Amino acid sequence: MLLGVNIDHVATLRNARGGFEPDPITAALICEKNGATSITTHLREDRRHIKDEDVKNVKKSIKINLNLEMAVTDEMQKIALEVKPHSVCLVPEKRQEVTTEGGLDVKSQLEKITNFVKPLINAGIEVSLFIDPNEEQVKASAQTGAQFIELHTGQYSLAYGTKDEEIEFDKLNQSAKLAQSLGLKVNAGHGLNYENVHRMHEIKDLYELNIGHSIISHSIFKGLDNAVIEMRDLIR
């Protein structure tokens, strides 16, 4: 498995006080140097953490892949087509949420998402859909033309160490198998940390894990380089 690191919360800390510190570009370069294979930035509608210039500057500065998380809006599609990241991950977005609360409802928006995906793919951008581990959502995703899904691991992460862990893990495992049988590549992320990430090895042929909050939190005590190395070693 590969490791994508989400640097949004470096920008969150910067924005809490204003100014330029800590610098998301520096964070991205440290992640790159210590084994990350991609950098994720989520450009939200309200620009609460990552800003437009952050996305452009990260793209210019790193040699590894840039993954742009974004909502299914005309504004974000235009930005993606201008910046041309290696990949985009389409996510649901509510202005009041602290973090992404669930997967994209692809099934109920199948025509809209299929049309949204086409120009991105035509521009050479890989497209992933962030979905809950649900059979109907997996099947709908396979109809859109997107090459990837990213399985929302939030419920598994919350259930880890409880009686519901196996139920939530099995949803991930079965959804990954179904997606792969339909020709989709599978990433996973949300809520994964240094304690629960090891079970991702039990899901065959997971491509990449996207992890942000846990790594950035751990870096306060261990340093960002060590936090990335530790997670990198856990998922290899």
Side-chain angles (χ1 to χ4, degrees):
M1 285 181 291
L2 304 178
L3 173 62
V5 179
N6 185 315
I7 60 169
D8 290 351
H9 292 306
V10 176
T12 298
L13 184 58
R14 174 197 62 190
N15 298 349
R17 187 166 180 172
F20 303 99
E21 295 180 333
D23 178 24
I25 312 305
T26 301
L29 292 172
I30 291 171
C31 294
E32 177 180 66
K33 182 178 179 181
N34 290 284
T37 47
S38 70
I39 299 296
T40 291
T41 60
H42 184 172
L43 187 64
R44 284 181 172 267
E45 179 190 12
D46 61 6
R47 308 309 199 263
R48 70 178 65 169
H49 37 61
I50 291 294
K51 312 293 186 185
D52 298 62
E53 285 305 307
D54 294 328
V55 177
K56 294 174 184 176
N57 289 333
V58 170
K59 174 70 162 41
K60 291 176 186 175
S61 301
I62 61 175
K63 295 182 177 66
I64 56 176
N65 296 333
L66 172 63
N67 176 47
L68 177 62
E69 286 188 356
M70 64 184 208
V72 185
T73 66
D74 291 342
E75 179 196 24
M76 291 301 159
Q77 185 187 67
K78 180 180 178 183
I79 290 170
L81 291 171
E82 289 173 355
V83 175
K84 292 193 175 175
H86 176 265
S87 59
V88 299
C89 183
L90 305 184
V91 301
E93 189 173 306
K94 301 178 204 170
R95 180 165 286 195
Q96 69 273 22
E97 68 188 1
V98 176
T99 185
T100 306
E101 294 175 350
L104 191 66
D105 186 356
V106 181
K107 183 183 178 184
S108 70
Q109 307 176 79
L110 184 57
E111 183 177 1
K112 176 182 178 180
I113 292 173
T114 300
N115 291 333
F116 189 88
V117 160
K118 285 178 183 177
L120 298 169
I121 293 174
N122 290 340
I125 301 169
E126 290 184 348
V127 178
S128 178
L129 307 178
F130 184 72
I131 62 170
D132 291 325
N134 173 285
E135 180 179 340
E136 291 185 343
Q137 296 300 336
V138 173
K139 288 180 177 179
S141 297
Q143 297 177 55
T144 64
Q147 303 100 322
F148 283 80
I149 59 167
E150 181 171 333
L151 290 174
H152 181 5
T153 53
Q155 291 304 310
Y156 158 75
S157 299
L158 289 172
Y160 183 75
T162 75
K163 61 181 178 59
D164 294 326
E165 178 183 336
E166 291 303 325
I167 295 171
E168 297 301 332
F169 177 80
D170 188 61
K171 290 178 185 177
L172 294 171
N173 200 16
Q174 295 305 317
S175 293
K177 288 178 181 177
L178 175 59
Q180 290 158 355
S181 75
L182 296 172
L184 291 164
K185 296 179 182 178
V186 182
N187 298 331
H190 199 84
L192 295 175
N193 60 36
Y194 294 85
E195 286 72 44
N196 63 32
V197 74
H198 67 93
R199 294 211 64 184
M200 297 301 102
H201 287 289
E202 299 174 43
I203 301 176
K204 186 178 180 182
D205 295 328
L206 267 185
Y207 187 77
E208 185 173 64
L209 301 181
N210 286 306
I211 304 174
H213 186 267
S214 180
I215 291 175
I216 302 305
S217 299
H218 199 49
S219 73
I220 294 173
F221 306 105
K222 298 290 186 178
L224 184 54
D225 51 354
N226 292 324
V228 172
I229 289 169
E230 189 175 335
M231 185 61 78
R232 177 201 71 189
D233 291 347
L234 284 171
I235 73 171
R236 280 185 176 174

